[in-house]
Amino acid sequence: MSTAVADPRAERLANLWSRLSAQHVTLGAGCGCMTGGVSVSLEDFELDIADYLWAESERLGETAVVAFLLQPGAIDQQTKPVMHLLTRLETGEADEAVADWLLGRLARTLDSFAKLHGPSSV
Amino acid sequence: MAFILPALNTDASAEPAVRVPITVLTGFLGSGKTTLLNRLLRAPDMHGTAVVINEFGSVGLDHDLVDHTQENMVLLANGCICCTVRGDLVEAFERLAQSPEAQRGELRHVVVETTGLADPAPILHTLMGDPRLARHWRLAGVACTVDAFNGMATLDQHTEAVKQAAVADRLLLTKTDLVPPDQLAPLAERLRAINPLAAITNEPDDALQALLGLLDRPSTERVAVQTEPDTTRSFFFPVSAPGTHDPNRHDDHIRSHVIVRDQPLSRDGFMAWLDMIAAMRGDDLLRVKGIVQLADDPEHPMVIHGVQHLFHPPQTLPRWPSDDRRSRIVFITRDIEADDIDATLRIFERRRTRGTRPVPPV
């Protein structure tokens, strides 16, 4: 196994997600049927993000990434899987190739969430 | 003033057989809305057309300029377009619904002429989403007049004019006789950049025909979302596919994006994503139209249609309108990057469709 190194990219994303995931959005209020209006935080989408990473890594045959993602247990059994993943990456648990793969996708995803949410989140 | 509203009957079988189509006519001050409206009202076979006028200023004038041979004319009170007009609009349509013509089933169309200074979104929100209107009325389309002589400067100086163009189904260039063709082309190009979904007309008769066409447009007009240039189809302008984005289309902070997916999408995931986008950036989603293939019902495409925060309840078509079964969603946005739309959709589009839970490695 290659040497595990703490990654400043993970630290940036962990800080970003820490701020962003606490933000609330009101879902369903935009439907013309006028029946919506459920307030959720972006943290509620952690499972979707982690699930996406798992599916992509499986689809592309990234077995080391799959193993890293599932090491704490099944995705849907993990608590705050994205924050936990970022913490593990920040402390250098992953080897370089796995970290690069995950952090590249996490950066694209979380930065996009932040930009959509507005300037206060970026 | 208080109004007692008729109770809504939630029994679907009690719904009126036909909901009267509403066409919104918008356009900046002096762009020729009233002139076009008068031509429309003088056209043959326009009986049963009501006009609702929203004016700006303490003394209404526009309604005096509209041909009064039309009996069903309602003038909206002046006031803030965001609040007063919404209530007035609902009241106006409830009065129309009680009119003898409507009661006899003779009311065939309604044209709403907005004030030239209006951001049309609140009016569209009311027409699309107010449950008091949904029983009798439906939004058929939006036409926007653009003064060919002053249009470029108006778009430069007034964000309302840009929004009016962005939400339109038809862009009707007026006063084109005052402008040489080489001066017209840049304006048409700019309008295409703001709203590639809208057809543009630049002849007076074409504008009238385009407006007439909107009056009878079914509410579930086929969503012609193109991703490749197709010169054989002139009704919609082609939209750049991902990766072929035209960098020149960045004027006015208004951008158009098309998101294409070859694989069916998770219904729950897609709806959650759409909700999230609308909740976070609804102000900047000027127009969203799309046809979507869902994993749980791939044979029946879902059509979405939204203006800013508000979306029509999605409609399911009985069949695909062509052999192209890809999901195609066009966004006309302000200051939203296509990459951010795309990256967030990727998170949601396969939600819960990946089979059994994995076994953690030993």
Side-chain angles (χ1 to χ4, degrees):
Chain A
M1 179 180 287
S2 58
T3 308
V5 179
D7 195 318
R9 295 173 298 172
E11 182 182 6
R12 180 186 78 82
L13 291 174
N15 288 335
L16 173 64
W17 186 241
S18 179
R19 291 196 307 273
L20 194 60
S21 61
Q23 307 280 337
H24 282 75
V25 292
T26 301
L27 301 184
C31 180
C33 67
M34 297 288 187
T35 57
V38 180
S39 180
V40 301
S41 70
L42 292 181
E43 186 180 56
D44 295 321
F45 300 132
E46 285 217 8
L47 181 59
D48 286 297
I49 297 170
D51 216 25
Y52 159 76
L53 293 171
W54 167 49
E56 275 294 279
S57 57
E58 277 202 326
R59 185 176 68 83
L60 298 172
E62 297 284 347
T63 53
V65 176
V66 173
F68 186 76
L69 287 170
L70 300 181
Q71 191 276 329
I75 295 291
D76 63 356
Q77 301 297 307
Q78 297 181 27
T79 304
K80 297 187 178 181
V82 171
M83 187 53 82
H84 186 50
L85 177 62
L86 288 168
T87 302
R88 293 169 64 209
L89 291 167
E90 193 179 350
T91 55
E93 282 189 33
D95 66 32
E96 189 175 347
V98 170
D100 283 348
W101 196 96
L102 285 168
L103 286 169
R105 282 161 178 78
L106 279 166
R108 191 168 59 204
T109 299
L110 302 188
D111 285 338
S112 289
F113 271 109
K115 282 195 279 181
L116 287 177
H117 198 273
S120 64
S121 304
V122 179
Chain B
M1 186 181 296
F3 294 94
I4 299 175
L5 302 174
L8 286 175
N9 190 336
T10 55
D11 179 1
S13 64
E15 289 288 301
V18 176
R19 293 189 297 159
V20 178
I22 303 167
T23 300
V24 173
L25 178 58
T26 188
F28 204 70
L29 294 172
S31 61
K33 295 185 296 298
T34 305
T35 302
L36 182 62
L37 183 58
N38 276 329
R39 293 186 63 214
L40 179 82
L41 295 175
R42 291 183 197 125
D45 198 30
M46 288 307 297
H47 63 276
T49 301
V51 178
V52 175
I53 298 178
N54 164 223
E55 295 191 311
F56 181 80
S58 56
V59 179
L61 182 61
D62 284 354
H63 66 288
D64 288 329
L65 304 178
V66 173
D67 192 335
H68 277 75
T69 56
Q70 181 58 48
E71 292 180 1
N72 281 310
M73 187 177 300
V74 178
L75 180 67
L76 295 184
N78 301 305
C80 169
I81 193 74
C82 297
C83 44
T84 310
V85 168
R86 287 193 190 201
D88 284 352
L89 196 60
V90 172
E91 179 202 335
F93 276 96
E94 287 177 334
R95 275 165 34 208
L96 271 181
Q98 298 305 316
S99 68
E101 291 83 355
Q103 295 288 313
R104 290 196 299 266
E106 295 171 355
L107 195 58
R108 299 192 305 149
H109 318 288
V110 182
V111 179
V112 177
E113 181 187 353
T114 74
T115 166
L117 289 171
D119 171 356
I123 288 177
L124 300 183
H125 289 174
T126 304
L127 296 176
M128 289 165 61
D130 194 294
R132 292 168 292 181
L133 300 185
R135 184 162 181 246
H136 293 283
W137 315 99
R138 65 176 173 84
L139 179 63
V142 182
C144 175
T145 51
V146 179
D147 176 346
F149 189 76
N150 294 311
M152 203 63 106
T154 301
L155 292 169
D156 284 339
Q157 295 164 14
H158 300 285
T159 55
E160 294 87 354
V162 177
K163 291 187 75 175
Q164 290 167 352
V167 301
D169 297 291
R170 306 285 187 273
L171 290 165
L172 315 175
L173 291 184
T174 60
K175 309 179 189 180
T176 51
D177 55 325
L178 303 178
V179 178
D182 61 336
Q183 202 172 319
L184 202 56
L187 176 61
E189 183 59 27
R190 184 169 180 182
L191 291 171
R192 285 191 192 102
I194 293 171
N195 185 350
L197 291 171
I200 302 178
T201 65
N202 57 14
E203 296 291 337
D205 286 343
D206 291 345
L208 182 60
Q209 290 305 315
L211 190 54
L212 281 166
L214 272 186
L215 296 184
D216 287 319
R217 192 176 74 149
S219 58
T220 56
E221 181 187 54
R222 186 165 71 89
V223 179
V225 181
Q226 290 180 244
T227 56
E228 303 294 339
D230 180 355
T231 55
T232 64
R233 300 166 73 178
S234 58
F235 197 70
F236 283 92
F237 288 95
V239 175
S240 297
T244 60
H245 181 66
D246 181 352
N248 295 317
R249 295 186 170 187
H250 278 221
D251 292 345
D252 311 309
H253 300 272
I254 307 289
R255 303 170 193 188
S256 62
H257 319 291
V258 58
I259 301 291
V260 179
R261 292 290 188 267
D262 294 327
Q263 299 298 317
L265 310 183
S266 152
R267 182 187 298 270
D268 287 349
F270 176 73
M271 297 310 289
W273 171 77
L274 199 59
D275 250 357
M276 185 196 70
I277 293 268
M280 291 202 294
R281 294 299 292 272
D283 286 345
D284 298 316
L285 290 179
L286 302 183
R287 198 70 187 267
V288 180
K289 267 185 175 181
I291 187 165
V292 180
Q293 185 181 42
L294 296 170
D296 63 1
D297 192 10
E299 297 300 316
H300 301 107
M302 181 176 72
V303 173
I304 59 167
H305 178 197
V307 176
Q308 295 192 317
H309 294 273
L310 197 71
F311 281 74
H312 280 296
Q315 294 179 302
T316 302
L317 300 184
R319 68 188 67 83
W320 284 88
S322 74
D323 292 336
D324 189 349
R325 295 188 169 204
R326 296 173 301 168
S327 296
R328 286 151 284 156
I329 310 160
V330 174
F331 292 83
I332 298 175
T333 66
R334 179 174 48 204
D335 294 332
I336 299 179
E337 298 291 341
D339 287 348
D340 298 326
I341 296 173
D342 185 78
T344 50
L345 176 58
R346 289 197 185 283
I347 300 303
F348 292 91
E349 64 191 21
R350 300 289 182 82
R351 179 188 260 188
R352 305 289 182 265
T353 61
R354 301 188 191 112
T356 57
R357 186 187 305 169
V359 178
V362 178

